[in-house]
């Protein structure tokens, strides 16, 4: 009898364990993993995605990687045909390679079947985040996180009467957010080395980082404002006289002048985090950075609230801003593409997009951006909308990594390492890029 009870107990335990295993397997079957960078918008997406789970029963798992390892981690995952990511919010520059090499699921049929219209999203974001070939009606991502390069300034410092008076006496205008690059430099020089509240401060934090994409993103903020073009619009991949034009040379020289005149000591390898640190610690009067970080600035205990203001990238010959941001794609190697597509369908809804913006994400949906009260919805909202209307992006070719490495080297050598002239740097860059396109079969010798 005792043995029989023991056998029954063992059988019940085994059945229970099997049931738990089945339950876990079912839970895992109804779970997808979304991969992105580790930053504030990702935290907002976690909060937003709780609504998706509540509505569908599909559990969400997240794989967030710091920006400095983001590209290496997830490009390696794609190239190895890994199954970690069911959904991936990948950089705009990845779209060409990911479409060409089959990493992403083409979404056209899915969009058509579910009434998802690309006309509902800001055209610049569809072009940059979704299409390959560029501008074609071939969609590999849904615009997910609009972003552009903008500027933050110490509004409380600018408002000080004694500084206003001194600045106006020197430059003949009010100390205000600059609208041109010349005005930007004047403000930077004005604050450089000045003492404020007993502390020595500096003019601005700009991008100078060599290792990934930093200095390219910073330099292009100037290049685009001078009217820079990557190629002859009538002869694709022909770059002479465009990449190394007189205006491009002038823009690169100007960017170097900002580095020489107006940055904190040691600011020679700085990107997003370094600029944020310099600004939040009260070292600089201004910083360039992505709009994605601006909600955090507003809430910061040291520089938030009325202490900070925002302005769009200054113009020179044209209005232009460096594009950031990403689209969300379904990874073709996923075993749960059907569940991942359910997330895309849910995320595309206008009400979800409105909540995405309210939580600190940057919607690309016209229902959000074209709402009558959008410009008043955040201190930086109007500037964000203006920036997104004039964004330009780096090459999105499958060979973008080689193209980026060359530009990082050439402009860093000139701006930071003080090697050669701007003309020489851009001439060498043209030669580098020509070779990349020759090797890729898109340009002849």
């Amino acid at each position: 009898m005792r043995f029989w009870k023991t056998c029954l107990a063992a059988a019940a335990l085994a059945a229970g364990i099997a049931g738990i295993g089945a339950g876990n397997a079912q839970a895992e079957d109804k779970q997808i993993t979304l991969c992105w960078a580790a930053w504030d918008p990702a935290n907002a997406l976690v909060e937003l995605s709780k609504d998706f789970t509540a509505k569908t029963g599909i559990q969400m798992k997240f794989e967030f990687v710091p920006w400095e390892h983001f590209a290496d981690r997830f490009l390696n995952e794609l190239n190895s045909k890994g199954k970690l990511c069911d959904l991936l919010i990948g950089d705009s520059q990845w779209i060409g390679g990911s479409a060409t090499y089959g990493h992403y699921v083409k979404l056209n049929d899915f969009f058509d079947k579910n009434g998802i219209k690309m006309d509902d999203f800001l055209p610049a974001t569809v072009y940059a985040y979704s299409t390959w070939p560029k501008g074609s009606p071939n969609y590999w991502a849904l615009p997910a996180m609009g972003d552009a390069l903008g500027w933050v300034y110490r509004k409380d410092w600018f408002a000080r009467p004694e500084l206003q008076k001194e600045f106006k006496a020197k430059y003949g205008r009010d100390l205000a957010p600059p609208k041109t690059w010349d005005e930007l430099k004047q403000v930077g020089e004005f604050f450089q080395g000045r003492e404020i509240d007993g502390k020595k401060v500096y003019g601005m934090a700009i991008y100078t980082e060599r290792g990934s994409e930093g200095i390219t993103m910073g330099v292009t903020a100037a290049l685009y404002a001078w009217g820079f073009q990557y190629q002859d619009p009538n002869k694709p991949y022909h770059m002479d006289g465009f990449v190394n034009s007189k205006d491009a040379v002038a823009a690169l020289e100007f960017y170097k002048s900002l580095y020489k005149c107006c940055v904190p000591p040691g600011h020679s390898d700085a990107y997003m985090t370094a600029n944020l640190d310099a600004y939040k610690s009260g070292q600089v009067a201004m910083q360039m950075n992505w709009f994605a970080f601006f909600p955090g600035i507003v809430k910061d205990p040291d520089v938030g609230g009325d202490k900070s203001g925002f302005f769009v990238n200054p113009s020179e010959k044209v209005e232009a801003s460096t594009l950031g941001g990403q689209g969300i794609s379904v990874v073709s190697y996923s075993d749960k593409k059907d569940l991942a597509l359910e997330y895309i369908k849910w995320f595309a809804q206008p009400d979800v997009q409105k909540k995405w913006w309210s939580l600190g994400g940057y919607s690309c949906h016209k229902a959000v951006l074209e709402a009558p009260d959008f410009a008043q919805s955040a201190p930086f909202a109007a500037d964000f909308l203006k920036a997104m209307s004039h964004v330009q992006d780096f090459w999105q070719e499958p060979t973008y990594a080689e193209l980026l490495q060359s530009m990082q080297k050439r402009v860093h050598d000139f701006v930071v390492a003080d090697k050669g002239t701007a003309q020489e740097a851009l001439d060498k860059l043209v030669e580098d890029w020509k070779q990349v396109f020759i090797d890729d079969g898109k340009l002849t010798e």
Side-chain angles (χ1 to χ4, degrees):
M1 188 72 169
R2 186 176 179 87
F3 174 74
W4 176 243
K5 286 184 177 179
T6 303
C7 288
L8 283 176
L13 178 61
I17 292 172
I20 291 171
N24 286 341
Q26 289 174 357
E28 288 180 2
D29 286 344
K30 290 278 284 184
Q31 175 180 278
I32 53 176
T33 299
L34 188 155
C35 299
W36 199 12
W39 60 334
D40 286 347
N43 299 330
L45 191 63
V46 171
E47 184 64 27
L48 180 72
S49 298
K50 292 176 182 177
D51 293 347
F52 172 72
T53 297
K55 182 175 181 179
T56 65
I58 300 170
Q59 301 295 319
M60 295 298 297
K61 184 178 179 182
F62 300 94
E63 187 75 19
F64 298 149
V65 173
W67 275 114
E68 56 266 31
H69 307 298
F70 174 68
D72 286 345
R73 176 69 180 88
F74 291 128
L75 288 176
N76 285 339
E77 181 71 18
L78 293 176
N79 289 330
S80 65
K81 300 184 179 181
K83 296 180 181 292
L84 170 66
C85 307
D86 302 299
L87 291 160
L88 175 60
I89 301 182
D91 266 347
S92 57
Q93 290 96 342
W94 302 1
I95 198 80
S98 294
T100 301
Y101 303 132
H103 300 326
Y104 292 167
V105 172
K106 190 176 181 181
L107 297 173
N108 289 59
D109 290 345
F110 178 76
F111 286 168
D112 290 343
K113 182 179 178 181
N114 290 278
I116 298 171
K117 299 177 181 178
M118 289 294 95
D119 287 345
D120 290 338
F121 293 82
L122 201 66
T125 67
V126 175
Y127 179 86
Y129 306 147
S130 302
T131 65
W132 187 263
K134 298 317 300 171
S136 71
N138 296 287
Y139 306 120
W140 305 89
L142 183 84
M145 176 71 190
D147 204 2
L149 198 65
W151 293 79
V152 189
Y153 72 100
R154 286 299 299 263
K155 190 175 180 180
D156 54 339
W157 294 0
F158 279 46
R160 295 190 179 194
E162 69 278 13
L163 296 183
Q164 283 278 350
K165 182 179 179 181
E166 183 182 342
F167 187 87
K168 191 158 191 175
K170 185 172 184 179
Y171 296 106
R173 61 182 182 87
D174 291 335
L175 178 55
K179 296 180 179 179
T180 69
W181 285 79
D182 286 331
E183 290 181 357
L184 180 76
K185 186 176 181 180
Q186 288 173 356
V187 174
E189 289 173 332
F190 180 75
F191 280 102
Q192 187 74 1
R194 181 176 294 274
E195 187 174 294
I196 293 182
D197 297 333
K199 180 179 179 180
K200 189 175 183 179
V201 304
Y202 303 92
M204 67 185 75
I206 62 174
Y207 292 162
T208 58
E209 181 260 3
R210 170 69 175 85
S212 61
E213 65 175 15
I215 196 165
T216 296
M217 298 298 104
V219 162
T220 52
L223 289 172
Y224 297 150
W226 264 262
F228 178 82
Q229 292 180 290
Y230 284 97
Q231 57 190 334
D232 185 338
N234 299 314
K235 292 182 68 177
Y237 309 112
H238 287 76
M239 297 162 284
D240 276 311
F242 292 86
V243 171
N244 54 354
S245 69
K246 289 183 179 179
D247 284 337
V249 168
L252 184 56
E253 289 173 342
F254 196 93
Y255 195 83
K256 180 173 182 174
S257 77
L258 296 181
Y259 174 70
K260 291 292 187 181
C261 78
C262 303
V263 302
H267 205 75
S268 59
D269 193 32
Y271 195 19
M272 299 177 279
T273 302
N275 279 17
L276 286 170
D277 290 345
Y279 184 79
K280 289 182 177 181
S281 63
Q283 292 183 61
V284 294
M286 301 177 291
Q287 65 152 332
M288 65 162 39
N289 227 319
W290 302 110
F291 274 86
F293 294 109
F294 293 0
I297 294 288
V298 172
K299 298 174 184 177
D300 189 85
D302 296 319
V303 298
D306 291 336
K307 291 182 179 179
S308 289
F310 308 90
F311 60 95
V312 75
N313 195 52
S315 62
E316 195 62 30
K317 295 196 169 187
V318 298
E319 292 185 355
S321 298
T322 301
L323 180 77
Q326 302 91 21
I328 183 169
S329 299
V330 176
V331 177
S332 64
Y333 314 116
S334 166
D335 293 327
K336 301 175 184 177
K337 290 189 281 290
D338 56 337
L339 301 183
L341 287 167
E342 281 297 306
Y343 188 92
I344 297 281
K345 179 181 176 181
W346 168 82
F347 187 72
Q349 297 174 62
D351 287 348
V352 174
Q353 288 292 304
K354 290 174 183 177
K355 188 169 182 179
W356 176 223
W357 169 255
S358 72
L359 290 172
Y362 280 77
S363 174
C364 304
H365 203 289
K366 289 180 180 178
V368 178
L369 301 177
E370 295 181 358
D373 59 348
F374 178 78
Q376 289 76 45
S377 63
F380 43 80
D383 286 324
F384 171 68
L385 189 57
K386 185 177 181 182
M388 292 304 295
S389 299
H390 302 285
V391 286
Q392 296 187 44
D393 198 15
F394 189 74
W395 293 105
Q396 293 187 358
E397 295 284 328
T399 52
Y400 100 92
E402 295 96 319
L403 299 167
L404 180 60
Q405 289 169 3
S406 293
M407 187 159 186
Q408 284 286 105
K409 172 177 170 52
R410 297 306 181 189
V411 298
H412 194 275
D413 280 355
F414 172 68
V415 173
V416 176
D418 210 20
K419 296 179 181 177
T421 66
Q423 186 70 64
E424 289 169 346
L426 294 176
D427 287 346
K428 290 176 181 177
L429 181 59
V430 169
E431 293 306 311
D432 292 343
W433 284 356
K434 280 182 181 178
Q435 191 59 55
V436 172
F437 289 124
I438 289 170
D439 293 343
D440 197 36
K442 292 183 175 178
L443 194 64
T444 56
E445 297 270 359

